Amino acid sequence: ALDSQKRISSAIVVSAINDMKDVALPGLRAGLRFDGIMARSVAAELLGEFGDPKAIGGLVDVAMSDPELSVRVHAANALGHLRSQISLAALSELTRDAHPVPLRAKACESMGRLGFAEAAPRLETLIADENYWVAHNASAALRSLGPDGRRVLFETSSGERPGNDHA
């Protein structure tokens, strides 16, 4: 419906899919491979919102290699809703310099949403990124990791490190 000649509002499509969430999941997973940009984007977002663990592999593939940047960003956002080590590994990879800045920034944000303390070392390296949004989102993600992330932020901003001797 999102890609047809008789275009239907994405809000209407999303509302209809929300009403039939459980039966819609297989179709949404298939939607990650549709031709239309809007269909792939909506499928990615809804799979994340619905927390579909069966979608992780497809979302990782889309986030890494979809030809459309906006679809990749939607997939990275969705991965932040799927609490798994696979999501964390993919998002960490998406923060690398080889990827476009909007994708890197969204990956930082999504890593924070996952809430895994082991994301802190990668996020710590990104708070000094030359791009403001990547650095900002990495900092916000560290805050959202709770005490472990906030400790990294404090240590980084104050120059303190465990084992440093400040006389």
Side-chain angles (χ1 to χ4, degrees):
L2 292 171
D3 293 329
S4 70
Q5 299 240 332
K6 294 180 181 180
R7 241 186 151 156
I8 297 174
S9 160
S10 61
I12 292 171
V13 172
V14 168
S15 176
I17 292 171
N18 273 322
D19 290 342
M20 55 182 181
K21 172 183 158 184
D22 293 332
V23 296
L25 290 176
L28 289 172
R29 289 190 294 269
L32 292 174
R33 296 181 305 277
F34 286 174
D35 288 336
I37 294 167
M38 179 67 77
R40 294 193 316 274
S41 294
V42 168
E45 284 291 340
L46 288 175
L47 288 165
E49 286 180 29
F50 293 161
D52 181 16
K54 292 180 181 177
I56 292 173
L59 287 167
V60 168
D61 290 344
V62 169
M64 295 291 181
S65 63
D66 195 276
E68 181 64 38
L69 177 59
S70 64
V71 177
R72 294 178 72 192
V73 170
H74 285 286
N77 188 57
L79 286 168
H81 293 286
L82 299 170
R83 191 170 164 82
S84 81
Q85 291 296 321
I86 295 169
S87 293
L88 178 60
L91 291 167
S92 183
E93 172 57 35
L94 292 170
T95 65
R96 304 232 177 266
D97 288 341
H99 297 285
V101 168
L103 184 59
R104 295 177 65 227
K106 181 57 73 175
C108 289
E109 178 185 312
S110 293
M111 286 173 72
R113 197 177 319 115
L114 287 175
F116 291 127
E118 57 266 33
R122 178 65 185 143
L123 292 168
E124 180 181 14
T125 66
L126 294 165
I127 60 176
D129 195 88
E130 65 183 36
N131 181 274
Y132 170 80
W133 286 111
V134 172
H136 171 80
N137 286 3
S139 179
L142 280 166
R143 280 194 316 276
S144 70
L145 294 181
D148 292 330
R150 287 192 294 276
R151 185 173 40 258
V152 169
L153 277 174
F154 172 77
E155 291 168 355
T156 302
S157 66
S158 67
E160 292 184 26
R161 287 282 181 263
N164 281 0
D165 190 13
H166 294 284

